[in-house]
């Protein structure tokens, strides 16, 4: 992908996992089946995610794809916010931290079938699949260390060399 592009798996983009939700109106899901394509069943646990959190996730995946998926990725929070078109300041830093928490808590089970109805992809059924596998924040460095579960690889448009 070009430097300015970000992507997410088609099954996520075509589902209701990220929604235009008004502040304060988010639902808490407990195994909810999301609206998705006919060939996929997606179950979701966690706070309803919004479009701003989609930006955070796509940028986190972009940053993570620069090294082996699943390994630690260090991101400076100010640069990260600027990369998604946000300002930097106390409000935005708190917003980013809340987004990281919501994405780390968010858990999915994704099952995709081919056109003949045979299983094509099943992720998260036997071991939790989180949007962000985990993160730590270093106050002194003003940086996050995060991890993206390598099981996202079959769903992501990333180079096979990573």
């Amino acid at each position: 992908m070009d430097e300015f592009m970000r992507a997410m798996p088609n099954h996520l983009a075509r589902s209701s996992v990220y929604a235009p939700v008004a502040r304060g109106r988010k639902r808490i899901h407990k195994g909810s089946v999301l609206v998705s394509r006919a060939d996929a069943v997606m179950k979701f646990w966690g706070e309803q995610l919004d479009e701003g959190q989609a930006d955070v996730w796509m940028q986190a995946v972009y940053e993570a794809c620069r090294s082996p998926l699943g390994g630690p990725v260090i991101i400076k929070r100010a640069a990260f916010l600027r990369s998604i078109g946000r300002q930097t300041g106390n409000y935005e830093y708190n917003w980013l931290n809340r987004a990281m928490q919501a994405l780390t808590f968010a858990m999915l089970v994704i099952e995709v079938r081919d056109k003949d109805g045979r299983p094509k992809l099943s992720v998260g059924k036997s071991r939790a699949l989180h949007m962000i596998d985990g993160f730590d924040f270093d106050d002194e460095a003003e940086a996050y260390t995060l991890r993206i579960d390598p099981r996202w690889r079959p769903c992501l448009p990333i180079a096979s060399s990573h």
Side-chain angles (χ1 to χ4, degrees), residues 14-158:
R14 295 177 179 170
S15 76
S16 60
V17 71
Y18 295 108
V21 182
R23 188 182 306 180
R25 297 185 184 243
K26 293 184 175 188
R27 293 181 47 211
I28 301 297
H29 294 279
K30 295 180 181 176
S32 300
V33 176
L34 300 176
V35 174
S36 185
R37 294 170 33 151
D39 64 340
V41 174
M42 295 177 61
K43 291 183 182 177
F44 181 74
W45 289 258
E47 172 186 304
Q48 171 66 56
L49 300 174
D50 62 29
E51 293 167 326
Q53 290 161 325
D55 292 341
V56 170
W57 193 71
M58 286 187 291
Q59 184 64 29
V61 169
Y62 174 80
E63 298 286 341
C65 288
R66 294 178 180 187
S67 58
L69 207 54
V73 178
I74 298 172
I75 56 170
K76 295 284 192 176
R77 66 182 181 174
F80 188 90
L81 284 166
R82 283 192 290 273
S83 69
I84 61 172
R86 297 263 179 167
Q87 300 295 315
T88 57
N90 194 47
Y91 175 83
E92 291 81 6
Y93 294 144
N94 288 332
W95 173 84
L96 179 59
N97 197 60
R98 287 190 308 274
M100 291 286 189
Q101 290 171 348
L103 290 166
T104 301
F105 181 74
M107 187 176 80
L108 288 164
V109 172
I110 303 170
E111 295 180 350
V112 180
R113 298 195 173 275
D114 66 16
K115 60 185 173 187
D116 296 324
R118 292 184 302 250
K120 181 178 177 181
L121 173 70
S122 180
V123 185
K125 197 170 188 174
S126 60
R127 187 177 62 135
L129 177 67
H130 294 272
M131 303 298 294
I132 292 178
D133 205 26
F135 78 96
D136 297 297
F137 180 71
D138 181 338
D139 282 320
E140 288 184 29
E142 295 186 348
Y144 287 95
T145 300
L146 59 89
R147 290 162 302 287
I148 302 291
D149 192 312
R151 291 177 295 159
W152 280 108
R153 178 171 305 290
C155 306
L156 296 172
I158 57 177

